[in-house]
Amino acid sequence: RIGSATSLSINNRLQELVKLFKERTEKVKEKLTDPDVTSDDESPAASPAKPAPAAAPVPPPGGEPEGDKLVGDEHYCEMLCCVFKYRPWLDRLKNYQFPSSIDPLTNLMYVLWLFFVVMAWNWNCWLIPVRWAFPYQTPANIHCWLLVDYLCDLIYLLDILIFQTRLQFVQGGDIITDKKAMKENYLRSQRFKMDVVCLLPLDFFYFKVGVNPLLRFPRCLKYMAFFEFNNRLEAILSKAYIYRVIRTTAYLLYSLHVNSCLYYWASAYEGLGSTTWVYDGKGNSYIRCYYWAVKTLITIGGLPDPKTLFEIVFQLLNYFTGVFAFSVMIGQMRDVVGAATAGQTYYRSCMDSTIKYMNFYKIPKTVQNRVKTWYEYTWHSQGMLDESELLVQLPDKMRLDIAIDVNYNIVSKVALFQGCDRQMIFDMLKRLRSVVYLPNDYVCKKGEIGREMYIIQAGQVQVLGGPDGKTVLVTLKAGSVFGEISLLAAGGGNRRTANVIAHGFANLFILDKKDLNEILVHYPESQKLLRKKAKKMLKNNNKPKDEKGAPGDPLIIPPKAGTPKLFQAALAATGRLGGKGPLAQLRWRLKELKAMQT
C-alpha cells in the first residue's frame, strides 16, 4: 500500500509519454496519407525571393582566406559574418539593357519618361507666349533660351526614335511585341503624324527673320503625350482626384497666362501708356498684366474703359472668352469634386434612407443607434458598404485573384481544409462573405443549428460558457476559425455548443454550408477527406473525460487492489473482541501504514 502513490505518479508520467508517442504516430500517419498536410514541427518554407548575391567566406582572423583570393578590382560589402560581392552603380549602368518592348499600361519607367516629355511640352506652351509678348528674350540671354529649347527638342526626338517605336499594342486580342510590327504600328498612327509636325525645322528661318519664338509654336502640338501621361498617372495614384484638381487649376492659370501675354502685346501695339486702358510700363510687367487678366476673365470689374476701336474689340473678345472659359473650368471642377466624393454621397444617401425607414416604423432608439454605428464603422473601415458591389464588375478570374490575395493565407491555415484540392479552396474563396459585428453582438448562440463557418479577419470574439453562460472560456483573435465542423456534421451534430459574441468591432468572413455543398459536388475526393476529418474532430470533441478534464485512458501499471471486504470484516471483529493473535498484529500494522500514508 505504501507504493500505491509512487505507482500512480509513474502511471501519470508513462501516460504522458504514451500520449506523446500516439500524437507523433498520428501526425506521421496523417502526413503519409495526406502529403499536403504540414507538421507543426516543421518550419514554414520561405517565400520565393530574388537570388541573393554570392557570399564570399570571411577570412579567419590573422590568416589568409582559403581558396581564391579576392580580386582587387572587385567590390565587397561586409555584413554580419559574410562578405557580399556587389557591382558598382557605374557597371550596372553600363550593363543595363533597354527593353525591346514596353508595356504602356504598367511600365513605370515609361510613365517616368512621359513626365520628362510633358515637362518639355510645358516649357514650350508656357514660355513661347512669354518670349513672344514680353521683352524677356534679349541678345544677352538668347543662348540660354536656345539651349533649353534644343534640349526639349532632343527629348521629343528620343521619344519618337526610342520609346514610341517600342510600345506594345493589341491586335486581334494578342499583345504584339515584335519590333517590326510595333514600329509599323507607330508609323501608321495619328500620333506619329503629330510628332513629325511638332519637330518641323522652322528654326532655319532664324537666319532670315531672327530668333522669333513663334516659329517654335508647332512644339506645342505634342498634346497627345500630355493626355497619355494624365491617364497613366491617374491609374497608379491612390487619390487621383487630387491630381485632377491640380490639373484643372493649372488649366485656369494657363488661360490667365495667355490672356496676360495678349494684353501686353495689345498694349505694346497701341503704345505703352498711350491711353488709360493699356499697360503704362511701370512695375513688373508680367505681374501687372496677369492681374489685369484675372480681373477681366473672372469679370470682377473695376477696369478702365477702352478708348479706341481696337481696345473695344479686344475687350469684348476678352469678356466673351472669359465667361466661356471660366464656366467650363467651374463645371469641370464640379465634376472632379463630385467624382471624388461619389462614395461619400452614396454612403450618406443609404444612411438617410435607412434612418427614414426606421423612423417611419418607429424602431427603438437603441436599435437605431446600433444601425448608425454599423454604418459608420463599416464605411470607415472598408471605404464601402458592400465589397461584392465593387467586385461584381470584374471578370471571374480577376475576382479569384483578388480573393486569393486577401483570403488564401487565412483559409489555408484551417485544419479542416488542409490536404484538399487546391482548386476547391479557390472556388471556396469566392463564396466568402464579409460581415461586420458590433461590440457584444452574438455571432452564434448555443443550441442553434450551425450552417456557417467563421473566419476572423480583424477584431476578437469571445466564447462564453459555464453555468450562467457568461464565463469567457477563450478569446479568439484575427486569423482564428470556428464553426468549421458544422459545415459537414450530420444527424443533429451541427448544433452550436457555446455562445460566441464579438469583443469590440469584429470583421468576419462567413462560408455557408449550402455554398460548400455546391462546391463539393465537383470534388468528390475532397468531399470524402473533409467528411473523414469532420468525423475525427467530432470524435475528439465527444471523447469522455475524467474529473480532472483529461481523457479517461487506462493506466499502464494498475494500482494495487484494495483490502478485500471479508478480510476487513475479520479485522474489525478482532478489534471489537480484543484478540491478541496474528490478526490483531496485522490490524495494528495496517493502521500504522495508513497513518504514514496520510
Side-chain angles (χ1 to χ4, degrees), residues 312-374:
I312 293 174
V313 173
F314 186 90
Q315 189 69 354
L316 286 175
L317 294 176
N318 237 345
Y319 278 137
F320 286 132
T321 306
V323 171
F324 176 75
F326 199 66
S327 61
V328 170
M329 298 300 173
I330 292 178
Q332 190 170 3
M333 188 69 73
R334 181 201 62 188
D335 295 339
V336 170
V337 176
T341 59
Q344 187 77 14
T345 304
Y346 172 73
Y347 157 69
R348 289 297 177 187
S349 63
C350 291
M351 177 177 276
D352 293 343
S353 301
T354 306
I355 294 175
K356 184 178 179 181
Y357 173 84
M358 292 188 296
N359 291 334
F360 179 79
Y361 286 98
K362 299 180 181 179
I363 304 298
K365 288 295 183 182
T366 54
V367 179
Q368 292 192 24
N369 292 334
R370 293 183 67 82
V371 172
K372 294 176 183 178
T373 304
W374 180 88

Side-chain angles (χ1 to χ4, degrees), residues 218-286:
R219 305 295 191 272
C220 300
L221 298 179
K222 201 175 178 63
Y223 60 89
M224 299 179 72
F226 172 70
F227 290 112
E228 184 184 7
F229 173 72
N230 292 334
N231 296 333
R232 301 291 175 263
L233 186 61
E234 290 178 6
I236 63 177
L237 291 178
S238 58
K239 295 183 179 179
Y241 64 89
I242 297 178
Y243 174 72
R244 297 190 190 107
V245 171
I246 296 174
R247 185 184 63 203
T248 305
T249 306
Y251 290 160
L252 178 60
L253 296 178
Y254 183 74
S255 61
L256 296 174
H257 168 79
V258 173
N259 194 29
S260 63
C261 295
L262 292 175
Y263 174 64
Y264 186 87
W265 169 80
S267 300
Y269 178 79
E270 287 286 299
L272 298 179
S274 59
T275 63
T276 56
W277 181 84
V278 299
Y279 169 59
D280 56 4
K282 299 179 181 178
N284 189 296
S285 57
Y286 180 77

Side-chain angles (χ1 to χ4, degrees), residues 463-484:
V463 181
L464 305 182
D468 56 353
K470 297 182 179 179
T471 304
V472 179
L473 301 179
V474 67
T475 300
L476 303 178
K477 299 182 180 180
S480 301
V481 180
F482 60 95
E484 65 270 24

Side-chain angles (χ1 to χ4, degrees), residues 102-368:
I102 300 174
D103 184 3
L105 300 179
T106 60
N107 195 313
L108 295 181
M109 182 190 67
Y110 180 65
V111 178
L112 180 62
W113 172 253
L114 284 179
F115 170 76
F116 291 109
V117 176
V118 170
M119 291 299 295
W121 178 76
N122 275 280
W123 166 270
N124 292 315
C125 291
W126 285 79
L127 292 179
I128 286 177
V130 172
R131 295 159 61 186
W132 164 72
F134 292 92
Y136 291 153
Q137 179 176 299
T138 61
N141 59 16
I142 189 65
H143 59 280
C144 298
W145 293 103
L146 293 179
L147 177 63
V148 181
D149 285 345
Y150 294 129
L151 179 61
C152 295
D153 292 349
L154 178 62
I155 294 176
Y156 280 17
L157 188 62
L158 292 177
D159 182 59
I160 295 175
L161 298 178
I162 298 179
F163 285 88
Q164 296 302 321
T165 56
R166 286 179 166 85
L167 293 184
Q168 302 173 4
F169 66 98
V170 179
Q171 185 177 21
D174 297 330
I175 300 177
I176 307 302
T177 58
D178 182 66
K179 292 183 178 180
K180 184 177 180 181
M182 290 186 296
K183 185 180 297 184
E184 292 178 353
N185 178 70
Y186 173 62
L187 295 179
R188 292 193 304 264
S189 64
Q190 181 69 22
R191 182 163 184 172
F192 172 71
K193 300 175 183 178
M194 296 300 298
D195 290 345
V196 171
V197 173
C198 288
L199 289 177
L200 286 177
L202 301 180
D203 303 50
F204 289 108
F205 289 98
Y206 286 172
F207 298 104
K208 186 175 183 180
V209 299
V211 182
N212 189 346
L214 286 181
L215 294 175
R216 293 187 55 83
F217 180 76
R219 305 295 191 272
C220 300
L221 298 179
K222 201 175 178 63
Y223 60 89
M224 299 179 72
F226 172 70
F227 290 112
E228 184 184 7
F229 173 72
N230 292 334
N231 296 333
R232 301 291 175 263
L233 186 61
E234 290 178 6
I236 63 177
L237 291 178
S238 58
K239 295 183 179 179
Y241 64 89
I242 297 178
Y243 174 72
R244 297 190 190 107
V245 171
I246 296 174
R247 185 184 63 203
T248 305
T249 306
Y251 290 160
L252 178 60
L253 296 178
Y254 183 74
S255 61
L256 296 174
H257 168 79
V258 173
N259 194 29
S260 63
C261 295
L262 292 175
Y263 174 64
Y264 186 87
W265 169 80
S267 300
Y269 178 79
E270 287 286 299
L272 298 179
S274 59
T275 63
T276 56
W277 181 84
V278 299
Y279 169 59
D280 56 4
K282 299 179 181 178
N284 189 296
S285 57
Y286 180 77
I287 297 297
R288 289 180 177 271
C289 292
Y290 200 91
Y291 173 74
W292 182 92
V294 171
K295 296 180 67 175
T296 302
L297 286 184
I298 304 180
T299 62
I300 296 176
L303 295 172
D305 295 331
K307 303 300 182 181
T308 64
L309 179 62
F310 175 80
E311 295 175 356
I312 293 174
V313 173
F314 186 90
Q315 189 69 354
L316 286 175
L317 294 176
N318 237 345
Y319 278 137
F320 286 132
T321 306
V323 171
F324 176 75
F326 199 66
S327 61
V328 170
M329 298 300 173
I330 292 178
Q332 190 170 3
M333 188 69 73
R334 181 201 62 188
D335 295 339
V336 170
V337 176
T341 59
Q344 187 77 14
T345 304
Y346 172 73
Y347 157 69
R348 289 297 177 187
S349 63
C350 291
M351 177 177 276
D352 293 343
S353 301
T354 306
I355 294 175
K356 184 178 179 181
Y357 173 84
M358 292 188 296
N359 291 334
F360 179 79
Y361 286 98
K362 299 180 181 179
I363 304 298
K365 288 295 183 182
T366 54
V367 179
Q368 292 192 24

